[in-house]
């Protein structure tokens, strides 16, 4: 299975390439007030507003640096109600793809309830690679904040919060 490799700090991670819509250069985001600090903001992607998560900050490090290889990875994010959205993932050193058999990813042996998106580890000559499960990336409250304005049954955008 094809994976996109990236670095967050000094560690390597892999995203399932089947979930990737496109990889674009680092984009300038409009901040979204009252969201967690690891939500970088939103940007206009081909006429659609796309929220962006800074993976470096999410993993507890400093924000992603503006390096030559820093990219915004646009991923297909499916919500619990079956809705499909594009979610931007900001990451450093997005430089290559690699074929990794899913069976090579071993259980890390540690349960981190705050990071259910962290999957197994695969060994390579250059060290360990950990999978990131895009579908489990957002906690329920953040998923609601970023995607609550879209009703999948109606197919149109609306605000679910009553106006004052």
């Amino acid at each position: 299975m094809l994976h996109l490799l990236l670095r967050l700090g000094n560690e390597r991670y892999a995203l399932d390439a089947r979930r990737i819509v496109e990889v674009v250069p680092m984009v300038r985001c409009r901040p979204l007030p009252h969201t967690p600090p690891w939500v970088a903001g939103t940007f206009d992607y081909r006429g659609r507003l796309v929220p962006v998560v800074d993976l470096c900050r999410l993993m507890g490090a400093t924000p992603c640096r503006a390096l030559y290889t820093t990219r915004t990875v646009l991923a297909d994010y499916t919500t619990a109600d079956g809705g499909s959205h594009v979610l931007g993932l900001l990451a450093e050193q997005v430089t290559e793809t690699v074929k990794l058999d899913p069976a090579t990813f071993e259980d890390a042996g540690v349960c981190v309830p705050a990071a259910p998106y962290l999957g197994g580890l695969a060994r390579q000559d250059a060290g360990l690679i950990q999978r990131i499960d895009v579908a489990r990336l957002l906690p329920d409250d953040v998923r609601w904040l970023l995607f609550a304005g879209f009703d999948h049954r109606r197919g149109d955008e609306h605000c679910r919060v009553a106006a004052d």
Side-chain angles (χ1 to χ4, degrees):
M1 180 185 316
L2 192 62
H3 289 81
L4 179 67
L5 294 184
L6 51 98
R7 281 195 182 269
L8 302 173
N10 294 322
E11 304 303 326
R12 295 185 319 153
Y13 294 88
L15 296 171
D16 182 346
R18 295 176 300 179
R19 305 284 306 212
I20 296 172
V21 175
E22 187 173 352
V23 178
V24 298
M26 183 178 180
V27 296
R28 185 168 184 263
C29 294
R30 183 187 189 285
L32 293 172
H34 307 288
T35 58
W38 45 264
V39 174
T42 189
F43 80 106
D44 185 340
Y45 171 70
R46 300 181 181 179
R48 172 193 270 177
L49 293 177
V50 173
V52 177
V53 170
D54 184 328
L55 291 178
C56 295
R57 283 195 88 173
L58 178 66
M59 299 286 190
T62 58
C64 285
R65 299 169 293 167
L67 304 172
Y68 182 70
T69 56
T70 302
R71 298 286 183 265
T72 302
V73 178
L74 301 174
D76 179 31
Y77 182 82
T78 305
T79 54
D81 65 356
S84 181
H85 301 276
V86 175
L87 177 65
L89 307 173
L90 188 59
E92 295 178 353
Q93 298 182 32
V94 179
T95 57
E96 63 184 302
T97 57
V98 64
K99 287 187 179 181
L100 296 168
D101 183 337
T104 63
F105 286 95
E106 298 177 30
D107 184 358
V110 178
C111 178
V112 183
Y117 50 85
L118 290 177
L121 294 162
R123 290 181 181 87
Q124 272 200 331
D125 292 339
L128 296 173
I129 300 171
Q130 189 162 28
R131 278 187 79 176
I132 295 176
D133 183 352
V134 173
R136 301 183 72 190
L137 198 62
L138 302 176
D140 291 341
D141 60 334
V142 176
R143 182 175 51 247
W144 191 89
L145 282 171
L146 299 180
F147 300 121
F150 193 83
D151 185 336
H152 307 288
R153 295 162 297 194
R154 290 178 35 183
D156 62 351
E157 291 188 36
H158 70 285
C159 184
R160 291 186 181 166
V161 179
D164 291 333

